[in-house]
Amino acid sequence: MANCAYKRAAELGADGALFTDGINRMYLTGFPSTEGAVLCTEDETALLLDMRYALSAESRGLTGVKVVRSESSLTADTLSYARAKGVKRLIIESTAVTVYELERLGAAFEGIELIPVAGICGEARQIKTAAEVACIKKAQSITDACFTHILGFIKGGMTEREVAAEMEYFMKKNGADGLAFDTIAVSGVKSALPHGVLGDDVLTENAFFTMDFGARYGGYCSDMTRTVVLGKASDKMKDVYNTVLEAQRLGVLAVGDGVPCKAVDAAARDYIRSKGYGGYFTHSTGHSLGLEIHESPACSPKSEGVLKAGMLMTVEPGIYIEGFGGVRIEDTVLVTEDGCEVLAASTKELIEL
Ligand code: ZN
Ligand code: ZN
């Protein structure tokens, strides 16, 4: 993977690339740390770490990565390492370096030209390796197990917070490194808020309850949404639910290698519109994910991207009716040569608890 970073740097006339962003450091080396620097040059990927992390990284035996101990200042040590490697023109990440850091690096790296560039790893990160897919599948299996568990846990009189806490505990207890993002667990009229914040609200009877959640495994995220009904669903609730369910099915069906992202969005959106709910689907149909929960590309009406085999995408249409409630159904899929593989195993049929 480091070669992809160096290759891109060389295309831009540089002889090295410096990564300070934590996610890209993790991507290039497989080693998570709160601080550090990755220097990609023609012949190596060097991971500079202070002593809090260096020993642990060394003992892990990272493939294709040289761990360099920083025993004084990380910036000074990175500079002297870059000088020793003969770097003259160095790419830095314009989206990760602050104005303050740019000024500081500029002063410290005197004699080396700094070239700020956005998204050096961006394109490579879109296509997942088999190892990355395996991590996401494991995260998804924890997420599916969590859904099964929580269906047997939810009872009338519980609060959103109680349910979410149980979900989070279950995922961590069953192998998750952590959460992919803050769990969304919103009931009743709050389910009409696509990113509603859970609280001490008691679950509303005979109303929608939306859970959007995911685990993190090996640094990689899963993402799934299921909407259930606590009690009985009315005819209107069933109509809304089944409309989202069919839109989600059509969205998944549209996914494939070479398909424009906006075509996936249109497949789901056009169906919802045809059922008269067009004004209530207020967000994009999906997004890519990996080390971050929201990655590029997205499937929205304005997306210019094209899906490629090896991408991981969510398909998550929804209908949100203020004062009534909302439904979202979300799966993560792996784009393949001839369509896609749905990673989620959890049922999407309407569940009345
Ligand atoms: Zn989600
Ligand atoms: Zn999502």
Side-chain angles (χ1 to χ4, degrees):
M1 288 191 224
N3 284 342
C4 75
Y6 178 75
K7 214 174 125 200
R8 184 82 185 103
E11 281 167 13
L12 296 165
D15 46 20
L18 175 65
F19 295 89
T20 49
D21 172 64
I23 296 287
N24 282 335
R25 282 189 278 116
M26 169 74 182
Y27 176 70
L28 292 164
T29 66
F31 186 79
S33 58
T34 55
E35 255 186 305
V38 172
L39 185 70
C40 295
T41 49
E42 189 170 11
D43 61 342
E44 73 176 21
T45 298
L47 172 60
L48 290 98
L49 294 167
D50 64 40
M51 298 311 286
R52 287 174 301 167
Y53 292 112
L55 294 176
S56 150
E58 284 167 5
S59 67
R60 282 242 212 134
L62 306 170
T63 314
V65 176
K66 179 178 177 182
V67 177
V68 179
R69 294 183 182 192
S70 169
E71 293 182 11
S72 57
S73 139
L74 188 64
T75 305
D77 290 339
T78 305
L79 171 66
S80 54
Y81 196 81
R83 285 224 170 100
K85 296 294 292 180
V87 172
K88 297 273 187 302
R89 302 189 78 221
L90 184 64
I91 301 278
I92 56 170
E93 304 166 276
S94 64
T95 48
V97 175
T98 63
V99 174
Y100 167 75
E101 283 170 340
L102 182 62
E103 286 172 356
R104 198 174 58 82
L105 286 176
F109 280 56
E110 208 189 335
I112 295 180
E113 185 188 350
L114 299 181
I115 309 164
V117 178
I120 285 274
C121 291
E123 233 171 89
R125 274 178 53 190
Q126 289 184 2
I127 310 294
K128 269 61 183 179
T129 64
E132 291 180 292
V133 171
C135 285
I136 295 169
K137 283 186 172 176
K138 174 67 183 169
Q140 178 61 51
S141 73
I142 296 168
T143 307
D144 282 319
C146 176
F147 184 62
T148 303
H149 169 72
I150 211 67
L151 290 178
F153 176 84
I154 296 170
K155 299 273 177 300
M158 281 182 178
T159 64
E160 294 169 346
R161 193 184 306 282
E162 277 179 274
V163 176
E166 179 68 19
M167 294 169 81
E168 295 174 359
Y169 175 65
F170 181 92
M171 288 192 281
K172 288 186 180 174
K173 197 175 154 191
N174 285 279
D177 310 335
L179 305 175
F181 53 93
D182 287 343
T183 303
I184 295 172
V186 283
S187 166
V189 290
K190 278 175 76 183
S191 62
L193 309 169
H195 276 191
V197 178
L198 67 88
D200 294 315
D201 312 63
V202 172
L203 304 186
T204 311
E205 299 274 346
N206 305 317
F208 289 127
F209 178 43
T210 298
M211 292 165 280
D212 187 350
F213 58 109
R216 193 178 281 277
Y217 183 84
Y220 286 81
C221 301
S222 63
D223 190 4
M224 182 170 89
T225 306
R226 290 292 183 268
T227 302
V228 300
V229 175
L230 186 68
K232 286 277 166 217
S234 66
D235 287 348
K236 182 169 180 189
M237 286 166 73
K238 284 181 186 164
D239 188 51
V240 169
Y241 190 91
N242 289 327
T243 303
V244 175
L245 182 62
E246 178 61 6
Q248 206 268 347
R249 191 186 71 82
L250 292 169
V252 169
L253 210 60
V255 173
D257 185 39
V259 173
C261 292
K262 62 175 136 191
V264 174
D265 183 82
R269 196 172 301 279
D270 289 351
Y271 181 75
I272 288 177
R273 197 177 287 137
S274 78
K275 291 289 177 181
Y277 294 110
Y280 302 103
F281 178 19
T282 49
H283 55 73
S284 306
T285 294
H287 56 88
S288 190
L289 75 171
L291 287 168
E292 292 178 281
I293 186 62
H294 291 127
E295 296 191 355
S296 214
C299 289
S300 78
K302 289 185 182 157
S303 303
E304 291 303 325
V306 174
L307 297 179
K308 293 190 189 113
M311 285 181 174
L312 261 298
M313 301 297 299
T314 70
V315 181
E316 50 176 306
I319 294 176
Y320 310 94
I321 305 173
E322 206 180 329
F324 175 75
V327 173
R328 178 168 64 259
I329 301 170
E330 173 182 30
D331 284 334
T332 297
V333 305
L334 170 64
V335 183
T336 59
E337 297 288 337
D338 51 2
C340 71
E341 177 190 346
V342 178
L343 303 193
S346 300
T347 183
K348 288 178 271 193
E349 291 307 314
L350 178 63
I351 294 171
E352 295 172 310
L353 291 169

